[in-house]
Amino acid sequence: MRRSAATAERHYPPAWTAADWNPASLEDVLAPAHGAITLAGTTEPPYGFLVGPVDHYPHANEGLIALIDAPSAEAFGPLDREPRMFASQNFIRCPLAKRNSATAPFRFGLHEGTLGFTASTSAPTDPSYVEQWKLAFRLAELQADAEDEGIAISEGSQRDLLRFLGTHLDWRRPSLFLLDSGNFRALWRDGREQIALEFLGNQIIQYVMFRECIGAPDDLASAHGQDSLQGIERLLSYFGVERLTKR
Amino acid sequence: MSTVLADEDNVVRYVRLRLFDVEKGEVDGTAFVLDAAKGEQALSVNWLEYFGGAVEYQVTQVRAHIHQKMNATGVLAQLNVGASKSAAAAEPGGSDITFVGDGQPAKPPRYPNPDPSHALVRGLPPGGSSAAAAIGDRIRNSIVALHPTS
């Protein structure tokens, strides 16, 4: 993960400072919530949790977002054997109002891992890094909305979503949605053409793809069904919609 | 009494934040899919032309009367009836959907006023399948405009 050394023009929210994120206080907050998390405080990038620069997320100022790095190997399948940035990151949403309470509930995407972090109030400016943070904020926003509506997020769906995105860091950032079922759905769209992937858990994806018919662009060819995490990429290529994922 | 809406008419559907990616400006097609878990038989929408006047006025009236708690983070997605019907039918194995106005009486104390422009989209397949999602995505492609909820 690349980070910009540039100083933010605006901190988000303004009241937060680096002192809020010192390892000791964070450990105090997190340790009672989940004993399996080991905090390995470091000031070295690229690990980080960082206050992002995104304006559009109304829930972002309700808490912090942290990325867990280096999850235990046992918790992951073959997709995660190789070092990948996003696949090894999972999101914690820590309600700001409760973060000093030892009994505060926390949401964890996955329950094993080592949390490496650095404190920063600088906003990222590197485009790919900003894209990851926008994705992180959208996930946090969806988590908050799920809480408000009493929807239980499918951990299997979230796990598969993060794995999939982590193996495709060079892809365009998709739109993300959370369905009534608690499953995540990602959408890459250009006009009427699309790739929509619902992560059903157990490494199964439900897909809906549209592309303009060759020679008859007024018509849309469609394909929908289910495939595995590993198989979906071949399907996108076969159907001719891979280009929708390109930046 | 129910009224079948004409193809040139328009409806709006409330789409909550979970299905509306604000930053991308994208609505998910599952906003137009029946909720299988709830055994939903038809989709709730509001008929704009019921109120007459300009679209802005019509949307204002919908906001004032709709029997639904809307969050400011959601959006009202406007669909043209005819375009949505064509979109749903265009999917192989697709659906012949109809839009039927069925104004709702007041339901105090929560909704002290009637919701006269309430309408239903009938003929959609049960949710939960990729086929239903494909039809929802086709309908999403026919969205005319997005209006704020307040």
Side-chain angles (χ1 to χ4, degrees):
Chain A
M1 185 189 300
R2 287 167 292 174
R3 298 187 60 184
S4 167
T7 302
E9 293 180 2
R10 174 178 53 81
H11 292 171
Y12 188 92
W16 290 5
T17 68
D20 290 329
W21 315 124
N22 71 73
S25 66
L26 189 66
E27 191 157 18
D28 285 345
V29 172
L30 293 181
H34 204 288
I37 298 287
T38 304
L39 292 175
T42 173
T43 56
E44 296 298 319
Y47 312 123
F49 71 92
L50 181 63
V51 183
V54 185
D55 291 324
H56 302 289
Y57 300 96
H59 296 290
N61 60 359
E62 294 177 4
L64 65 90
I65 297 170
L67 304 179
I68 297 178
D69 195 86
S72 64
E74 296 75 19
F76 293 87
L79 275 175
D80 303 289
R81 295 282 164 76
E82 297 171 21
R84 289 190 184 89
M85 199 52 66
F86 206 90
S88 64
Q89 295 170 348
N90 301 283
F91 300 93
I92 298 173
R93 180 172 169 273
C94 170
L96 187 62
K98 298 176 180 174
R99 69 187 181 86
N100 290 322
S101 164
T103 57
F106 294 96
R107 301 188 66 89
F108 296 93
L110 294 173
H111 292 173
E112 295 180 61
T114 300
L115 182 62
F117 61 91
T118 180
S120 174
T121 52
S122 298
T125 55
D126 179 276
S128 65
Y129 192 67
V130 169
E131 288 295 288
Q132 287 194 38
W133 273 101
K134 286 183 176 180
L135 202 55
F137 272 110
R138 177 61 178 163
L139 279 168
E141 183 176 66
L142 292 174
Q143 287 183 340
D145 210 42
E147 280 179 16
D148 290 346
E149 289 192 47
I151 291 174
I153 289 178
S154 161
E155 288 201 8
S157 179
Q158 180 167 286
R159 182 192 303 255
D160 287 351
L161 170 75
L162 295 175
R163 283 181 177 177
F164 188 80
L165 295 179
T167 58
H168 299 99
L169 286 173
D170 55 333
W171 285 16
R172 199 158 57 92
R173 176 172 57 90
S175 300
L176 277 188
F177 308 104
L178 179 65
L179 312 189
D180 293 341
S181 60
N183 291 339
F184 288 95
R185 194 171 197 240
L187 172 69
W188 292 261
R189 189 162 84 101
D190 182 13
R192 299 186 306 154
E193 298 188 316
Q194 73 164 46
I195 301 163
L197 305 179
E198 180 182 346
F199 295 83
L200 302 179
N202 296 318
Q203 303 196 30
I204 301 295
I205 288 177
Q206 184 182 89
Y207 60 87
V208 177
M209 302 184 288
F210 297 150
R211 71 164 163 74
E212 291 179 351
C213 292
I214 297 165
D218 287 345
D219 295 327
L220 272 187
S222 76
H224 57 81
Q226 291 186 6
D227 204 338
S228 64
L229 273 181
Q230 291 84 352
I232 197 73
E233 198 167 350
R234 188 184 304 171
L235 204 58
L236 303 184
S237 173
Y238 180 75
F239 192 64
V241 287
E242 234 180 356
R243 61 194 156 74
L244 298 178
T245 66
K246 305 300 181 198
R247 285 184 173 158
Chain B
M1 198 172 102
S2 59
T3 307
V4 176
L5 308 195
D7 283 357
E8 58 269 28
D9 285 351
N10 293 269
V11 298
V12 288
R13 175 161 170 80
Y14 171 57
V15 181
R16 59 194 74 242
L17 178 71
R18 287 189 293 108
L19 300 179
F20 174 52
D21 192 323
V22 183
E23 207 274 330
K24 288 271 193 177
E26 285 278 14
V27 169
D28 188 36
T30 59
F32 307 104
V33 171
L34 299 177
D35 188 334
K38 292 179 183 167
E40 208 172 28
Q41 300 290 310
L43 212 61
S44 275
V45 293
N46 281 81
W47 178 22
L48 288 181
E49 282 78 6
Y50 175 88
F51 294 109
V55 171
E56 291 75 16
Y57 172 78
Q58 294 167 347
V59 173
T60 302
Q61 289 301 307
V62 168
R63 290 184 195 120
H65 292 89
I66 192 169
H67 284 186
Q68 189 156 28
K69 179 177 174 283
M70 296 196 295
N71 292 326
T73 50
V75 70
L76 287 165
Q78 180 181 340
L79 296 171
N80 169 260
V81 169
S84 300
K85 287 163 67 175
S86 299
E91 179 63 23
S95 300
D96 289 327
I97 60 173
T98 54
F99 291 70
V100 180
D102 73 335
Q104 298 294 300
K107 295 172 183 171
R110 191 168 186 187
Y111 300 114
N113 299 313
D115 183 1
S117 69
H118 186 267
L120 294 170
V121 184
R122 291 181 177 154
L124 290 165
S129 68
S130 61
I135 290 171
D137 286 338
R138 291 248 187 189
I139 294 174
R140 186 275 325 283
N141 279 355
S142 69
I143 288 176
V144 175
L146 298 175
H147 304 280
T149 54
S150 58

